[in-house]
Amino acid sequence: MIKLTRSLATWLCAAALFSAVVAPVQGQDAPYDLEKFRSVLDDSKLQAPTSSPTKIKQGDFRGASNEYFFLDKTGRYMTFTVEGDSNRSELRQSTGDWDTATETPQRLIARVRVFVPEDEGLEQFTFLQIHDKKNGSEGLNKPLLRLTRRSDYRDKQDHLWAHIRTPENDSEPISLKNLATKNVDLGPRLEGFFDVEIRVQKSRMTVAINGQTKVDMDVSYWNGLDNYFKAGVYNQNNGRSKVEFESLRFSNSDN
C-alpha cells in the first residue's frame, strides 16, 4: 500500500508538472494568434531585451510569446514590456527599408495604450520610432523620430513627446557631428487607447494623434538614409515600461 501510495503521488506530481508546462499561461498567448497582427509581425523581428541577438526572427512569430511580448489577459491586445535602463522590447520592421524622399507613402498606423510606469524613476521611454539603418560606414544609426512618454520634462508632467533629429547647422549635411534634437509636446498622455499615424512621403514627415496633426515638417535633410519603423518599448533609464496595441500595421499606400 505504501509503494502504491508513493507511486500514485509520484504520478500526480509528474502530471501536475506536465500540465504546468503545456497549459497556456494567461497573458502569455502569442500575438500571432490574432489575424489582425499577422501582417505587421510578418514584416518584423522582435528585439528584446537588447538589439542583438534577435529574440524572435522574422517568420518565427507563429505560437511565439515571452516575458517581453505577449497578448494581454483578455487576449485582445499585443503587449510589450521590459525592465532596465536601455533595454527594449520592440518590433523592428524587417523589409522595405525606405528613404524619406520616397514617392510611395510610408506609414505606421497604430491604436495604442501607454501605461504609467510603476517605478517613478523611469522618466522616459520610447514607444514608436523611425530609425535609420547602419550600412557599414554609411548611415547614422540614429532615430529620426522617437515618440515617448515622459514623467516630468520641461515643466510638463505625464506628457507624450516627439523627439526629432535635425541638423545643428542647417548649412551643412546632417552627420554625427552635426546633430541636434527638436522636441515637440504632443500633449498629456491619454488614459485609454488612442490613434497614432506616422507618415513620410516626398521628404515630409507628419505625426497625427487621434486625427490631429501634431508634427508636419520637411525632413529632406534626412534624405539618402535607409529607414525602418519600430514599435514597442525602449527605456531611457531604469524601471519597467509597458504599452498595449489594439491594432498596429505598416503601410505603403493611402489605404
Side-chain angles (χ1 to χ4, degrees):
M1 179 63 68
I2 294 175
K3 289 183 179 179
L4 178 61
T5 302
R6 287 177 177 173
S7 297
L8 179 60
T10 300
W11 182 87
L12 289 173
C13 288
L17 178 61
F18 177 77
S19 175
V21 170
V22 300
V25 178
Q26 189 179 38
Q28 292 288 322
D29 292 337
Y32 201 86
D33 291 347
L34 298 185
E35 186 174 354
K36 65 180 179 178
F37 293 128
R38 290 177 186 172
S39 173
V40 73
L41 294 177
D42 284 341
D43 190 17
S44 299
K45 62 182 179 180
L46 180 73
Q47 298 176 315
T50 58
S51 61
S52 182
T54 299
K55 190 69 175 178
I56 303 176
K57 296 179 180 179
Q58 184 185 11
D60 288 350
F61 280 93
R62 186 181 298 275
S65 66
N66 51 56
E67 62 184 295
Y68 310 106
F69 168 77
F70 51 88
L71 288 180
D72 78 307
K73 292 181 180 180
T74 71
R76 293 182 292 171
Y77 309 131
M78 182 164 58
T79 305
F80 298 82
T81 183
V82 75
E83 184 172 10
D85 185 15
S86 299
N87 284 345
R88 83 289 310 272
S89 173
E90 294 181 298
L91 294 182
R92 181 221 190 269
Q93 185 183 19
S94 292
T95 60
D97 294 336
W98 43 271
D99 193 304
T100 46
T102 175
E103 293 286 328
T104 303
Q106 300 296 328
R107 302 164 68 205
L108 183 154
I109 305 159
R111 185 162 176 81
V112 61
R113 174 161 55 189
V114 177
F115 289 84
V116 174
E118 294 180 4
D119 184 347
E120 294 181 359
L122 180 51
E123 195 279 326
Q124 177 187 179
F125 66 88
T126 299
F127 60 96
L128 294 174
Q129 295 190 62
I130 295 174
H131 207 288
D132 96 289
K133 184 178 180 179
K134 182 73 170 176
N135 289 320
S137 61
E138 301 296 322
L140 301 176
N141 196 28
K142 295 291 184 181
L144 167 62
L145 170 72
R146 291 189 303 116
L147 299 193
T148 69
R149 182 269 174 185
R150 305 197 67 158
S151 60
D152 189 357
Y153 182 63
R154 296 190 171 183
D155 296 323
K156 302 288 181 66
Q157 286 75 46
D158 195 19
H159 273 225
L160 304 180
W161 291 83
H163 301 294
I164 304 159
R165 295 287 190 178
T166 62
E168 188 172 31
N169 184 345
D170 291 335
S171 64
E172 297 180 4
I174 197 162
S175 68
L176 292 176
K177 295 181 179 180
N178 184 32
L179 207 58
T181 302
K182 178 179 180 178
N183 305 296
V184 179
D185 183 8
L186 302 178
R189 180 191 61 85
L190 301 171
E191 289 293 337
F193 285 96
F194 58 94
D195 296 317
V196 181
E197 179 176 348
I198 302 171
R199 178 189 177 101
V200 178
Q201 186 180 21
K202 297 180 180 178
S203 305
R204 193 144 208 98
M205 180 178 71
T206 59
V207 177
I209 305 291
N210 283 339
Q212 182 179 358
T213 300
K214 300 286 188 175
V215 174
D216 185 353
M217 60 183 289
D218 181 354
V219 289
S220 57
Y221 58 82
W222 204 261
N223 291 357
L225 299 172
D226 292 331
N227 301 280
Y228 51 86
F229 289 118
K230 301 189 82 175
V233 287
Y234 186 116
N235 294 345
Q236 269 63 58
N237 48 294
N238 276 316
R240 176 172 290 278
S241 57
K242 178 182 174 182
V243 298
E244 292 177 346
F245 288 91
E246 184 176 355
S247 61
L248 175 66
R249 65 188 177 99
F250 306 139
S251 173
N252 56 8
S253 74
D254 286 318
N255 298 324

